[in-house]
Amino acid sequence: MQNFKKNLGFNLALIVLVAVFLGGCVMAYLAYAGAAASTLALEGSVRSESLLLRGHAFGPGEEPVALTDENVKKAEADVVELAAHRELLRAAIAGNPELAIKGKASANSAELSALLRESVDGWRKLAADQGIKLSPNEPTSFGFHRYIHNQGTSPKRDFQKVDQQRLIIDFLVRQLAESRQPGSPLLVESVDREPVETFVLIPEGKPGAGTYGPDSEASRNEVDEFTPSRTLARTGQVETLSFRVRFVAHTPTMRTFVNKIRNSGRPLAITAIDVAVASKETEKLLASPVSFVAGSATTPAPGPLSFFAEETPVAGAAKPAAVEDKRVPVVMRKLSSFVVQVDYLSIAEEKPPVSAEGEPKK
């Protein structure tokens, strides 16, 4: 210790030199390690560049596509073409904006409840005026059973969307009434809807975020509500409202109803049609089956075959007696039970990208 104190300056200088030497060794090692990593990254970039320039074959026997200026321009043109095609698809799905069915944005719970009851009464009156029968056990509530048969209840959320459903059902009911053939029976069993207001969006940060899940309000299924098993909805692209019209009629009524929907110009798509023979009870309720006349008996029975297109009548031969005009029923027209499922399509609203602070970017 005495020697260290005697040569304090020299010893301190020696310690500093040793520390500098060790620090230099550490820096040299880090620089070498960094250089090795940079060398590996550079070699990887060179390999990737060579692969891009050499080209990639997307299928066996196909010519490789290289990252050349010409191919880059073609790719950019494809992107522009795809964007234009996407806009055409969006326009085809959305349909004519003037024919879109939109709910009332200012509707509240009390106003919407009054509108629902008024509409249901109007549809029932329309059926009575036109001789259309409703379900005999319990008159259909056209998709709003939970609010019509439970006094004091009303939708608690999604007022505009529920009002939109009301307007779409009004359109479907009137199209079905107009599709009825003159003198043909028609029984409306029910008009069912997808109960969108009984499902709540799961908030962010929870399992299943961004999807809809049932709440306590939807614990019981109403008679005129259903969950569609087939739908054209695509998350983030196409939104749908599903409806199901159940009725008993003859086939021409169903065919006219389907054609009216298809040719209406509105963004409606028929996703399913189920057909069954009407029950005996339903036939008795409406009427006895009506005969379908497939042809008449005015055509004479075929005579013996001839090798000539025309035969020369024999002189003095008696003319054949006129055949009495009788219409003979060939096929009995039967009532059928139809279930037509319809989707109302709309384009999903594009949400602006969210910044790091959680606010939409402008």
Side-chain angles (χ1 to χ4, degrees):
M1 194 65 173
Q2 294 294 332
N3 294 331
F4 183 81
K5 291 181 178 181
K6 288 180 180 181
N7 302 295
L8 181 61
F10 173 78
N11 291 330
L12 292 175
L14 185 62
I15 293 173
V16 171
L17 290 175
V18 171
V20 171
F21 175 76
L22 294 176
C25 291
V26 173
M27 295 293 293
Y29 174 76
L30 294 176
Y32 174 78
S38 299
T39 301
L40 292 176
L42 180 60
E43 291 176 352
S45 299
V46 171
R47 284 195 298 270
S48 300
E49 182 182 4
S50 62
L51 289 174
L52 291 173
L53 294 176
R54 189 170 56 197
H56 174 73
F58 292 91
E62 294 185 1
E63 183 180 355
V65 179
L67 186 63
T68 60
D69 292 340
E70 182 181 359
N71 288 336
V72 169
K73 292 179 180 179
K74 290 181 179 179
E76 292 175 347
D78 288 342
V79 171
V80 174
E81 183 179 353
L82 287 174
H85 184 62
R86 178 173 177 266
E87 292 303 319
L88 289 177
L89 290 177
R90 291 170 64 91
I93 293 172
N96 188 348
E98 297 180 357
L99 297 178
I101 303 176
K102 299 181 180 180
K104 191 174 182 180
S106 60
N108 53 46
S109 179
E111 180 183 3
L112 181 56
S113 180
L115 288 174
L116 294 178
R117 296 181 182 279
E118 180 182 354
S119 295
V120 171
D121 292 340
W123 298 326
R124 289 175 176 173
K125 184 178 184 301
L126 173 67
D129 293 342
Q130 298 195 12
I132 300 173
K133 295 183 179 295
L134 300 180
S135 180
N137 298 328
E138 181 179 12
T140 178
S141 299
F142 300 91
F144 300 105
H145 182 277
R146 66 168 63 241
Y147 305 122
I148 301 302
H149 292 273
N150 298 315
Q151 295 294 331
T153 59
S154 60
K156 297 179 180 178
R157 63 173 72 92
D158 292 335
F159 302 140
Q160 183 174 358
K161 187 168 290 188
V162 175
D163 189 57
Q164 183 184 18
Q165 287 185 316
R166 178 184 67 86
L167 296 176
I168 297 172
I169 291 175
D170 180 76
F171 174 78
L172 294 176
V173 170
R174 296 186 184 278
Q175 295 304 304
L176 179 59
E178 294 175 5
S179 302
R180 179 193 178 199
Q181 305 298 305
S184 178
L186 174 60
L187 167 67
V188 179
E189 294 184 313
S190 70
V191 178
D192 310 327
R193 69 182 180 93
E194 184 181 7
V196 293
E197 80 281 7
T198 63
F199 286 76
V200 60
L201 182 65
I202 300 176
E204 297 293 336
K206 294 186 179 181
T211 60
Y212 285 86
D215 56 12
S216 57
E217 182 181 320
S219 57
R220 71 180 190 279
N221 293 326
E222 297 292 343
V223 295
D224 54 5
E225 297 175 353
F226 79 111
T227 301
S229 58
R230 178 182 298 177
T231 178
L232 299 178
R234 296 295 180 269
T235 303
Q237 299 178 7
V238 180
E239 295 179 352
T240 61
L241 292 173
S242 295
F243 304 87
R244 186 174 60 188
V245 183
R246 301 170 60 243
F247 61 97
V248 177
H250 292 311
T251 302
T253 299
M254 186 277 296
R255 187 184 301 116
T256 304
F257 177 57
V258 170
N259 289 333
K260 277 182 170 291
I261 294 176
R262 291 179 55 192
N263 301 328
S264 65
R266 302 179 187 273
L268 292 166
I270 298 174
T271 57
I273 298 178
D274 295 329
V275 184
V277 178
S279 63
K280 297 295 183 181
E281 293 75 11
T282 304
E283 288 187 354
K284 291 179 181 178
L285 175 67
L286 289 174
S288 58
V290 180
S291 299
F292 174 73
V293 180
S296 63
T298 56
T299 304
L305 295 176
S306 172
F307 292 102
F308 303 96
E310 296 181 359
E311 293 185 5
T312 304
V314 179
K319 296 182 180 180
V323 181
E324 183 181 356
D325 185 6
K326 289 186 178 180
R327 299 178 66 86
V328 180
V330 178
V331 179
M332 301 300 291
R333 178 178 290 179
K334 305 288 286 185
L335 289 168
S336 299
S337 177
F338 300 101
V339 180
V340 181
Q341 183 174 321
V342 182
D343 274 6
Y344 183 87
L345 310 178
S346 59
I347 299 298
E349 296 182 0
E350 294 184 354
K351 298 180 180 179
V354 180
S355 62
E357 291 77 12
E359 297 181 356
K361 293 182 180 179
K362 297 182 180 180

